[in-house]
Amino acid sequence: MKNFEGVTDEQLALLYVDGDNSAFDELLARTQTKLFTYIMFVVRDHDLADDIFQETFVKVITKLQQGQYVNSGKFQFWLTRIAHNVIMDWYRQQQSRHIVEPNEDNDLENLRGASVLDTFRESELINEQVLIDVKRMMETLPAPQREVVYMRYYQQLSFKEIAELTGVSINTSLGRMRYALINMRRMAKEHHIELALEAC
């Protein structure tokens, strides 16, 4: 087996394009756990996550072979974008499982001034002790909200990166985060859970 130590993901992708199948095996080994974790977190079903994971890599192989990947230094980002598109395609096909959207009870217009700014300050970090409760609450959020929270807090992506990955505007990404936090705070209040936030 070849030693790919020191070879970047981007270089591995290009080696595969040039016909080195072992480079793809290495690429898969490096990225599969992180990618599957992301997919599983969004869809919350192991069998479905397996299907989406496999379909994602079929698309990755196809796009690589068709020369649709350009080394931009962001292979993982490119990979996650493909997975996101596969997930969204699946959700679009499930018309009977409508995605819950914000209603008048959690409309931002019902909020006032400083509390909104405090809630959505980008520098806020959820402390480690709270993460367990937060993760449990996140799992009950609609998929688009759950996804943006995961990308922001677990993958440490900026809202610009989230917008690019999910194919929406930055305002939409911010809106989804806001609704997610509103919903999570409501759940925390209902279940008497403290959500301590810290500034960076």
Side-chain angles (χ1 to χ4, degrees):
M1 187 173 178
K2 290 185 181 178
N3 182 357
F4 289 107
E5 187 177 345
V7 180
T8 66
D9 293 350
E10 291 73 22
Q11 290 168 333
L12 286 172
L14 296 175
L15 284 170
Y16 171 68
V17 170
D18 289 338
D20 189 340
N21 288 327
S22 62
F24 185 81
D25 294 340
E26 174 70 14
L27 199 56
L28 178 61
R30 287 185 189 183
T31 58
Q32 62 184 353
T33 300
K34 188 173 181 180
L35 183 68
F36 186 82
T37 301
Y38 161 68
I39 295 169
M40 183 65 187
F41 195 89
V42 176
V43 303
R44 297 180 299 166
D45 179 284
H46 198 280
D47 291 338
L48 176 58
D50 274 336
D51 290 345
I52 288 173
F53 177 85
Q54 290 171 32
E55 186 175 344
T56 297
F57 266 96
V58 168
K59 287 184 180 294
V60 167
I61 290 168
T62 302
K63 288 177 182 294
L64 287 173
Q65 290 175 344
Q66 292 175 347
Q68 294 182 30
Y69 175 72
V70 178
N71 184 358
S72 62
K74 295 182 177 181
F75 180 81
Q76 187 71 47
F77 191 82
W78 183 73
L79 183 64
T80 305
R81 176 66 190 262
I82 294 172
H84 164 79
N85 289 339
V86 173
I87 292 168
M88 291 303 112
D89 286 345
W90 183 86
Y91 273 110
R92 278 191 279 274
Q93 292 166 8
Q94 308 301 310
Q95 292 301 323
S96 59
R97 293 183 180 182
H98 69 279
I99 295 174
V100 177
E101 293 295 341
N103 58 37
E104 61 185 33
D105 291 333
N106 61 13
D107 194 322
L108 284 178
E109 292 178 7
N110 295 331
L111 299 176
R112 295 286 181 268
S115 64
V116 175
L117 295 174
D118 290 342
T119 303
F120 311 122
R121 191 179 303 130
E122 238 188 87
S123 64
E124 287 184 328
L125 296 174
I126 301 171
N127 68 42
E128 285 185 23
Q129 186 61 39
V130 175
L131 279 176
I132 297 169
D133 289 329
V134 168
K135 189 172 181 182
R136 195 175 299 130
M137 287 186 286
M138 283 169 65
E139 290 173 355
T140 68
L141 294 171
Q145 294 174 23
R146 189 166 64 247
E147 182 180 42
V148 75
V149 173
Y150 181 83
M151 288 179 170
R152 182 73 187 104
Y153 288 109
Y154 289 83
Q155 295 186 320
Q156 302 292 308
L157 298 180
S158 69
F159 283 107
K160 182 179 179 183
E161 290 171 322
I162 293 169
E164 188 178 335
L165 263 175
T166 56
V168 298
S169 69
I170 292 177
N171 284 344
T172 299
S173 294
L174 286 166
R176 288 176 178 174
M177 174 64 83
R178 289 172 181 143
Y179 286 119
L181 292 175
I182 289 167
N183 288 329
M184 288 166 62
R185 284 177 182 246
R186 176 178 294 131
M187 285 184 268
K189 187 174 182 181
E190 288 172 357
H191 298 285
H192 308 291
I193 297 170
E194 285 293 324
L195 287 182
L197 296 176
E198 296 180 357
C200 290

